[in-house]
Amino acid sequence: MSERRQAAGEWTRHGGAGVIIGLRTERTLLVHELAVGPKAYVLGSGDMADVRLADPAVSRLHCALIRQPDGGILVVDRDSRNGTFIDGVRCVRAYLHDRARLTVGQTTLVAFTTATRNALSPAESRAALRAAVAGALVNGSPREAARALGLATAVVRQLMKGGSR
């Protein structure tokens, strides 16, 4: 790989800015780390899956995530019963990109790089908002819940102004 491509921040084999390093479940914000080196993962609901999802609409061995030599992740559907979607488009074989939404069954996972690891999409922000408010209601007073709601709403508005997906 040329120095110019590496300097531009494109994919490298060692965790550069464009290399997908994980998937975050959109509703629960659960993170699934993906090694940067050569590796293949099976995503599914069964015991043999490397990335296990508790979703009855996900096949036992739903799709494969295959790390490519250039650092990219190739997603390959394994004849799943409900299909594999990237950004709403059904696919048999496709590459993940930063902030791509990979949907299997009723579960959506968001791909992230080192640069976007802590950036939440509006849907992820809403999930964080619900968790914060629920936690404040269960563990605190209604006043704490209202404060958590106000803070989280401000964050979501800021994300929406910034043009985040």
Side-chain angles (χ1 to χ4, degrees):
M1 192 173 301
S2 73
E3 290 177 16
R4 187 171 67 131
R5 285 189 59 164
Q6 288 185 8
E10 294 185 19
W11 290 355
T12 68
R13 292 188 178 137
H14 303 291
V19 175
I20 303 299
I21 62 164
L23 298 169
R24 184 175 34 251
T25 308
E26 197 170 62
R27 285 190 183 147
T28 64
L29 305 181
L30 179 66
V31 171
H32 306 278
E33 301 284 341
L34 302 176
V36 175
K39 174 105 170 113
Y41 300 88
V42 174
L43 190 146
S45 62
D47 292 338
M48 300 294 289
D50 300 304
V51 178
R52 289 184 62 198
L53 302 173
D55 179 343
V58 172
S59 298
R60 287 179 294 165
L61 303 174
H62 198 100
C63 64
L65 308 173
I66 305 167
R67 176 76 67 191
Q68 300 297 293
D70 66 358
I73 298 276
L74 177 65
V75 178
V76 179
D77 185 80
R78 296 182 53 142
D79 295 323
S80 63
R81 64 180 173 261
N82 292 318
T84 299
F85 299 80
I86 296 179
D87 294 331
V89 178
R90 190 175 188 141
C91 60
V92 175
R93 294 173 60 93
Y95 282 91
L96 279 181
H97 59 85
D98 188 24
R99 311 285 291 166
R101 298 176 76 237
L102 171 63
T103 303
V104 292
Q106 298 298 312
T107 303
T108 298
L109 302 122
V110 179
F112 61 86
T113 65
T114 53
T116 59
R117 177 184 197 99
N118 296 322
L120 298 179
S121 70
E124 292 171 305
S125 295
R126 286 190 294 275
L129 164 73
R130 284 191 296 273
V133 172
L137 284 173
V138 170
N139 300 321
S141 67
R143 178 181 228 160
E144 289 177 39
R147 182 170 175 251
L149 177 61
L151 290 172
T153 301
V155 169
V156 171
R157 283 190 182 132
Q158 187 62 37
L159 282 171
M160 297 302 279
K161 285 181 186 176
S164 297
R165 304 188 327 148

